[in-house]
Amino acid sequence: MRLASFIEGRNNNFNLIRMIAAYAVLVTHSFALVIGTGNAEPLQATLGMTIGSIAVDIFFLTSGFLVTASLLTRQSTIEFVWARVLRIYPALFAMHLLAIFGLGLFFTTLSWPSYFADPLLYKYLLKCLTLFSGSPYELPGVFSHNPYGDSINSSLWTIPYEIAMYTILSAIWVSLRAMPQYRQQAFNFVAVSGASLSGILIFLSYFNATAINHFIWLFFLFFTGSTFFILRNRIVLSHSIFFILLFVLLLASLNRHAFFIIYAATLAYILFYVAYIPSGMVRKYNKLGDYSYGFYIYAFPVQQSIAALLPGVSVLTMVIISSAVTLLLAVLSWHFLEKHALDLKGHYVNHTKKLLSFFPTSKSTS
């Protein structure tokens, strides 16, 4: 069946996939935070990537698909922006406040007056406000003796890239408002071309043995996700194609150079097949809640805290303790903050449209 046949409603496996991906990041970081190096996870030497980096790729493919679906279905930039803001920032600010006034005050080696007087604290706080200038990493005197160093939350490096992709996607849509008859077709062409050209650049870089730019790689993944939504009426989700691609990918894992090429070419199809085809018991996870974002943003500071409290902790113990604590925080974050923030979208959208209605040249739903 065509991909378009499956995408109506929310009856899919994306919540579970994202939760598994967030957990994979926690596992990868457990090796790094215990051993003290980012290359500590065993898969890094075998495949040239970790399960955590694969998880990030899944996040960007999924995000590109779902947010493009949101934008093109509603065709409202205002709704798109508020949906993204309310999904990212409330939980992120809560995590930062906990880091500054909870973990920071508890773990800092400085006196509290010195801690609050240190310019590094306010640099951290300033970056927290938008993330456009990058993600904040250090607080004064916090985790400075940990094996991995004093990073508060290295997982956040992906969020400025995510925000950049949202900005590019919405900018493409807004820039085409002057041609309403062909807006959809032009948007589709630009998005698919962006995925194709970035893919070509990645393969050229790889074959020329030059480093692949982070932005271009994440751009490729995000807009490949967009492309799958745009071409949803042409893409067939087939058991045969899925198992052939999965077999080829597993076979390619015997050679790390071949693996990257096959991985880049097959990951999107494998992901969207798994997101929509398996059903039954696996769908019951959707009744729990979308805990993946909270799990992702809280895991690293929890793990750094464990590394500080339990010097010499093993990787397995780190995984077990941090999984339990992070899951608790993620559940609380979803039920008491995140889902309520998302419920405010209609309120803020309506107020924004009313505000823009005072400007005759504005088109509030564009």
Side-chain angles (χ1 to χ4, degrees):
M1 294 181 68
R2 307 285 174 176
L3 177 57
S5 304
F6 297 96
I7 63 176
E8 296 298 327
R10 297 173 182 254
N11 192 23
N12 54 60
N13 301 316
F14 280 120
N15 281 351
L16 180 58
I17 288 170
R18 288 184 296 200
M19 187 62 190
I20 293 171
Y23 188 74
V25 173
L26 179 146
V27 172
T28 290
H29 286 164
S30 294
F31 284 92
L33 294 174
V34 168
I35 298 171
T37 172
N39 296 320
E41 196 210 286
L43 269 186
Q44 177 68 42
T46 306
L47 298 179
M49 59 181 69
T50 65
I51 60 169
S53 61
I54 293 171
V56 169
D57 295 346
I58 288 172
F59 283 137
F60 274 80
L61 277 169
T62 301
S63 181
F65 182 86
L66 294 178
V67 301
T68 300
S70 174
L71 179 61
L72 295 185
T73 300
R74 294 178 175 84
Q75 299 202 353
S76 168
T77 309
I78 293 171
E79 288 189 41
F80 178 81
V81 170
W82 274 117
R84 305 282 68 79
V85 168
L86 292 171
R87 187 68 191 99
I88 290 178
Y89 283 99
L92 191 66
F93 285 155
M95 185 279 299
H96 283 313
L97 290 175
L98 181 61
I100 293 169
F101 297 104
L103 300 183
L105 290 175
F106 184 83
F107 286 105
T108 184
T109 55
L110 306 178
S111 66
W112 285 10
S114 298
Y115 175 77
F116 283 111
D118 196 307
L120 187 61
L121 173 64
Y122 299 97
K123 181 180 178 182
Y124 183 97
L125 189 59
L126 184 62
K127 284 197 170 187
C128 292
L129 295 177
T130 63
L131 291 179
F132 284 117
S133 58
S135 53
Y137 289 123
E138 300 171 9
L139 283 170
V142 180
F143 301 142
S144 54
H145 300 298
N146 280 11
Y148 191 73
D150 54 3
S151 175
I152 302 297
N153 199 339
S154 289
S155 296
L156 300 186
W157 73 269
T158 63
I159 295 182
Y161 286 102
E162 185 86 9
I163 293 171
M165 300 307 154
Y166 298 159
T167 303
I168 293 168
L169 194 74
S170 57
I172 295 170
W173 180 253
V174 170
S175 67
L176 296 171
R177 64 187 295 181
M179 43 190 301
Q181 285 185 306
Y182 304 101
R183 189 181 197 182
Q184 180 87 54
Q185 296 93 319
F187 178 89
N188 294 348
F189 175 79
V190 173
V192 174
S193 298
S196 303
L197 292 174
S198 58
I200 292 169
L201 287 175
I202 287 165
F203 286 118
L204 288 175
S205 296
Y206 190 78
F207 286 122
N208 290 323
T210 56
I212 296 172
N213 181 276
H214 258 312
F215 180 87
I216 294 176
W217 172 246
L218 296 177
F219 181 97
F220 165 71
L221 293 167
F222 185 90
F223 279 92
T224 296
S226 295
T227 297
F228 266 69
F229 179 78
I230 290 166
L231 301 181
R232 61 195 180 279
N233 290 309
R234 300 185 181 186
I235 296 172
V236 176
L237 293 183
S238 159
H239 299 302
S240 300
I241 295 174
F242 170 75
F243 284 110
I244 289 171
L245 293 181
L246 187 61
F247 174 76
V248 171
L249 181 63
L250 293 174
L251 188 64
S253 65
L254 299 174
N255 182 295
R256 63 184 293 177
H257 299 294
F259 178 81
F260 177 79
I261 301 300
I262 302 300
Y263 170 83
T266 63
L267 180 63
Y269 189 94
I270 292 171
L271 169 65
F272 294 118
Y273 178 94
V274 173
Y276 286 109
I277 298 302
S279 58
M281 289 292 292
V282 72
R283 297 285 170 89
K284 292 186 181 296
Y285 179 83
N286 288 333
K287 296 180 180 180
L288 298 178
D290 188 1
Y291 303 143
S292 59
Y293 182 58
F295 199 92
Y296 182 76
I297 64 174
Y298 277 107
F300 200 95
V302 166
Q303 291 176 296
Q304 280 284 59
S305 300
I306 293 168
L309 292 170
L310 301 175
V313 64
S314 69
V315 173
L316 179 59
T317 302
M318 171 67 81
V319 170
I320 293 171
I321 297 176
S322 63
S323 297
V325 176
T326 305
L327 180 59
L328 174 62
L329 291 172
V331 170
L332 293 173
S333 178
W334 171 255
H335 288 290
F336 290 99
L337 176 60
E338 293 172 56
K339 72 175 183 178
H340 297 294
L342 291 172
D343 288 340
L344 295 173
K345 185 185 77 170
H347 172 77
Y348 286 116
V349 167
N350 289 335
H351 274 276
T352 304
K353 288 180 178 180
K354 287 179 181 177
L355 180 64
L356 291 178
S357 68
F358 290 106
F359 300 93
T361 58
S362 70
K363 295 180 180 179
S364 61
T365 59
S366 64

